[in-house]
């Protein structure tokens, strides 16, 4: 009788909490939370210490007149007002915008064209892709000094022209030529990264689509423009954002190639911040410029991504 009664009632239930959950479930949740914190905690702490805190300090200092030594005095938006009234800032933003726009188009366009030509899996294609990528692994400062030795007044190019009786060309000492030379070197040094990015993206294009296009009589150019490029459009967007944000912060090539000259014609906004504001102990003003540069970079990245998403939605609809 007792055995039958126990079988009918089932096993004895353990103590139950008010919410109806068995006690071991709470312990499991605690263990899961501890594991999650153990995995994510160090990264979150490191990100907070290395990124969030410095950005917060920079934002605070941008509202002060701190010179790096004496106590900082809060002056509100005065630094930002001066930022928009400063003629040197206006000129440097014009140079920065020109370098970013032309450089991004050149790097993405040249990288995409180069990758389309060399997307095959042959030894020669691999060699030329490596040649294109090689400048990207060299320090930009070294590249700048190298091209300064090539394009300078007594550089290799002008010495060669002089041997044929031609006058030296002011590649780095004429305002127009200097800016063109700087943009050309930037594009040459950076387009190889895009080549590698696009060649990797080409591997994700389904071979069936290319075979179907070939059966329909599409030429190689038509397959590239109608099939391959639209399929890697998200990668093109990523490359555009990376190049745009990187060129807005261009500094090292400017230092070693032109030094911001002549007459400030190649002085970018980043160069202005580091070469004039910090050296002039205008740390509060320099941090205001840096915060403004950070906001502009983030806004442009979000704008390009939003336009890409809108275009994708329009194509899908």
């Amino acid at each position: 009788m007792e055995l039958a009664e126990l079988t009918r009632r089932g096993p004895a239930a353990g103590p139950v909490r008010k919410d109806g959950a068995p006690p071991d479930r709470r312990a499991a949740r605690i263990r899961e939370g501890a594991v999650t914190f153990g995995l994510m905690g160090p990264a979150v702490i490191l990100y907070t210490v290395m990124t969030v805190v410095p950005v917060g300090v920079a934002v605070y200092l941008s509202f002060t007149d701190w010179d790096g030594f004496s106590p900082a005095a809060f002056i509100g938006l005065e630094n930002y007002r001066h930022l928009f009234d400063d003629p040197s800032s206006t000129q440097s933003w014009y140079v920065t915008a020109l370098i970013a726009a032309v450089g991004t188009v050149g790097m993405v366009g040249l990288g995409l064209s180069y990758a389309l030509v060399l997307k095959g899996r042959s030894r020669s294609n691999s060699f030329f892709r490596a040649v294109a990528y090689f400048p990207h692994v060299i320090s930009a400062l070294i590249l700048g000094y190298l091209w300064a030795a090539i394009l300078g007044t007594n550089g290799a190019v002008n010495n060669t022209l002089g041997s044929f009786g031609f006058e030296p060309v002011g590649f780095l000492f004429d305002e127009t030529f200097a800016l063109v030379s700087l943009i050309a070197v930037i594009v040459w040094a950076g387009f190889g990264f895009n080549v590698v990015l696009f060649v990797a993206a080409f591997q994700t294009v389904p071979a069936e689509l290319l075979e179907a296009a070939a059966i329909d009589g599409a030429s190689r150019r038509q397959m590239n423009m109608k099939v391959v490029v639209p399929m890697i459009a998200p990668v093109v967007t990523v490359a555009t954002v990376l190049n745009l944000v990187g060129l807005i912060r261009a500094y090292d090539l400017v230092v070693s190639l032109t030094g911001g000259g002549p007459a400030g014609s190649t002085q970018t906004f980043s160069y202005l911040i580091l070469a004039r504001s910090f050296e002039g102990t205008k740390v509060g003003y320099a941090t205001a410029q840096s915060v403004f540069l950070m906001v502009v970079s983030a806004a442009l990245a979000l704008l390009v991504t939003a336009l890409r998403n809108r275009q994708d939605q329009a194509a899908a609809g």
Side-chain angles (χ1 to χ4, degrees), residues 19 46 89 112 123 127 142 149 159 163 255 262 294:
D19 58 1
L46 183 64
S89 293
L112 184 58
R123 291 184 178 180
F127 171 76
I142 296 176
N159 283 335
S163 64
V255 172
M294 178 181 63

Side-chain angles (χ1 to χ4, degrees), residues 113-133:
S113 302
Y114 199 91
L116 286 171
V117 174
L118 302 175
K119 65 180 179 180
R121 298 182 179 180
S122 65
R123 291 184 178 180
S124 60
N125 286 349
S126 299
F127 171 76
F128 286 111
R129 289 199 295 262
V131 169
Y133 185 74

Side-chain angles (χ1 to χ4, degrees), residues 1-178:
M1 180 65 181
E2 294 179 359
L3 179 62
E5 184 68 19
L6 289 174
T7 304
R8 183 178 64 81
R9 291 181 180 180
V16 179
R17 300 202 328 264
K18 293 182 179 181
D19 58 1
D24 57 343
R25 183 174 299 178
R26 180 181 182 184
R29 289 177 179 174
I30 294 176
R31 287 195 300 270
E32 182 180 354
V35 171
T36 302
F37 179 80
L39 294 174
M40 298 180 58
V44 173
I45 294 173
L46 183 64
Y47 179 79
T48 301
V49 172
M50 301 299 294
T51 302
V52 177
V53 173
V55 169
V57 173
V59 172
Y60 167 73
L61 290 177
S62 68
F63 296 104
T64 69
D65 64 349
W66 191 42
D67 59 3
F69 303 98
S70 59
F74 186 81
I75 59 174
L77 297 174
E78 189 61 32
N79 285 327
Y80 292 96
R81 294 193 187 99
H82 181 52
L83 174 64
F84 292 101
D85 295 336
D86 189 357
S88 60
S89 293
T90 304
Q91 171 65 18
S92 64
W93 264 117
Y94 167 75
V95 174
T96 302
L98 188 61
I99 290 175
V102 178
T104 299
V105 172
M107 291 166 66
V108 174
L110 185 60
L112 184 58
S113 302
Y114 199 91
L116 286 171
V117 174
L118 302 175
K119 65 180 179 180
R121 298 182 179 180
S122 65
R123 291 184 178 180
S124 60
N125 286 349
S126 299
F127 171 76
F128 286 111
R129 289 199 295 262
V131 169
Y133 185 74
F134 183 71
H136 187 72
V137 302
I138 302 177
S139 169
L141 284 172
I142 296 176
L143 291 177
Y145 289 124
L146 172 65
W147 279 101
I150 296 173
L151 300 176
T153 303
N154 297 317
V157 173
N158 278 321
N159 283 335
T160 302
L161 292 175
S163 64
F164 289 99
F166 294 99
E167 293 293 327
V169 179
F171 292 109
L172 304 180
F173 300 97
D174 178 84
E175 294 185 12
T176 302
F177 271 121

